[in-house]
Each structure stands twice: as C-alpha cells, then as structure tokens.
C-alpha cells in the first residue's frame, strides 16, 4: 500500500473514532499528556540535565525533582500553567496553549511522525537564522 493511501486510511479511521464523544475527549487528554511528558523528558535529556538540574532551572529548587518526575509521567496530567511557563523559560522556548478545531488536531496527529520532540531554544534559532516573517505588510 502506498504511503498516501495508508495516511488517508489512517485519517479516515481516526475521524470515524472521533465521532464518539468519549473517545474524542480521551484522545485529546492522551495527546496532551503524552506530548508534554515526552517533550519535557526529551528536551531535558538534550540539555544534558538530570531531573534535579531541571527542577533547579525551572522551579528554582533542586529538591522539587519529584515534581519534574511527575511532569515527565504521561499518566500524571495535572499540569499547572505556571509550571509549564517556568519549564518553557528554563528551556528558552515558547509555549502554545490554545483551543483548536478537531480538524487541526487531526492534521497535527498526521504530522507527529515527522515532528521532533526537542525544540530549539531561541538562542539556537538565532544562530541558525530565524525564518522570515510570514506576515505581509498591508
């Protein structure tokens, strides 16, 4: 089976499953919990930090290592916005939190295979050269 048909079939299957409201909301929660937990862990490891070092950098106290451990557990799911902002600051990356239509989430799911969990810091992006703005002047 060619990759295009496989992706189309996979997308159709996902859309069919999302018609069930309970599945839809469980899918969103799982998507968020797994994505945040795995991304925090991947970025921490890429920085060469253990959990104590990340707790020190993000939370100002290495004794809060157990909190980092909870955040890296996909079963936890009780993220505070402030702690996510602190983690973004420690990694020097942005944080996007917004409501979105399911069509966008399905597209995001399809692109996940090509997505890197480790996000470059602002400094790393500057070294590579930030892409030009997509905003066109009026």
């Amino acid at each position: 089976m060619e990759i295009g048909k496989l992706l189309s079939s996979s997308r159709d299957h996902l859309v069919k499953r999302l018609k069930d409201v309970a599945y839809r909301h469980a899918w969103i929660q799982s998507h968020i919990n797994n994505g945040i937990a795995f991304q925090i862990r991947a970025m921490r490891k890429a920085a060469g930090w253990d959990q104590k070092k990340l707790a020190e950098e993000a939370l100002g106290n290495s004794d809060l290592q157990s909190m980092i451990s909870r955040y890296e557990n996909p079963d936890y799911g009780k993220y505070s916005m402030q702690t996510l902002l602190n983690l973004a600051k420690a990694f020097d990356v942005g944080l996007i939190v917004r409501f979105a239509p399911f069509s966008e989430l399905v597209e995001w799911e399809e692109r996940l295979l090509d997505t890197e969990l480790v996000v470059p810091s602002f400094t790393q992006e500057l070294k590579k050269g930030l892409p030009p703005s997509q905003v066109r002047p009026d």
Side-chain angles (χ1 to χ4, degrees):
M1 180 181 280
E2 71 180 58
I3 192 74
K5 286 182 182 176
L6 182 61
L7 288 175
S8 176
S9 163
S10 177
R11 179 188 180 103
D12 292 345
H13 179 72
L14 177 58
V15 170
K16 182 183 267 188
R17 303 263 337 248
L18 289 173
K19 289 180 180 178
D20 177 291
V21 70
Y23 179 86
R24 193 165 55 239
H25 295 289
W27 180 74
I28 290 171
Q29 184 170 353
S30 173
H31 212 296
I32 291 169
N33 291 352
N34 290 333
I36 289 173
F38 295 146
Q39 197 168 28
I40 291 170
R41 183 172 191 262
M43 290 193 308
R44 175 181 59 78
K45 288 187 169 237
W49 297 343
D50 61 14
Q51 290 179 344
K52 280 184 164 276
K53 174 68 173 169
L54 179 54
E56 178 65 38
E57 294 292 324
L59 309 172
N61 185 345
S62 63
D63 290 340
L64 295 175
Q65 171 273 326
S66 63
M67 184 180 223
I68 299 300
S69 179
R70 284 192 303 272
Y71 269 54
E72 290 184 2
N73 180 346
D75 294 328
Y76 179 65
K78 296 179 183 174
Y79 308 105
S80 83
M81 187 63 65
Q82 187 58 56
T83 301
L84 290 175
L85 287 166
N86 291 344
L87 288 163
K89 183 178 178 183
F91 291 124
D92 195 21
V93 299
L95 177 66
I96 299 172
V97 178
R98 64 182 183 89
F99 297 101
F102 278 92
S103 58
E104 189 175 317
L105 295 174
V106 169
E107 287 176 22
W108 184 43
E109 176 80 11
E110 289 175 335
R111 290 190 316 262
L112 261 183
L113 296 176
D114 298 328
T115 302
E116 183 69 34
L117 289 176
V118 178
V119 177
S121 69
F122 184 76
T123 304
Q124 290 168 326
E125 283 189 301
L126 282 179
K127 286 179 184 174
K128 288 183 181 178
L130 287 171
S133 173
Q134 300 298 318
V135 178
R136 295 182 185 172
D138 289 336

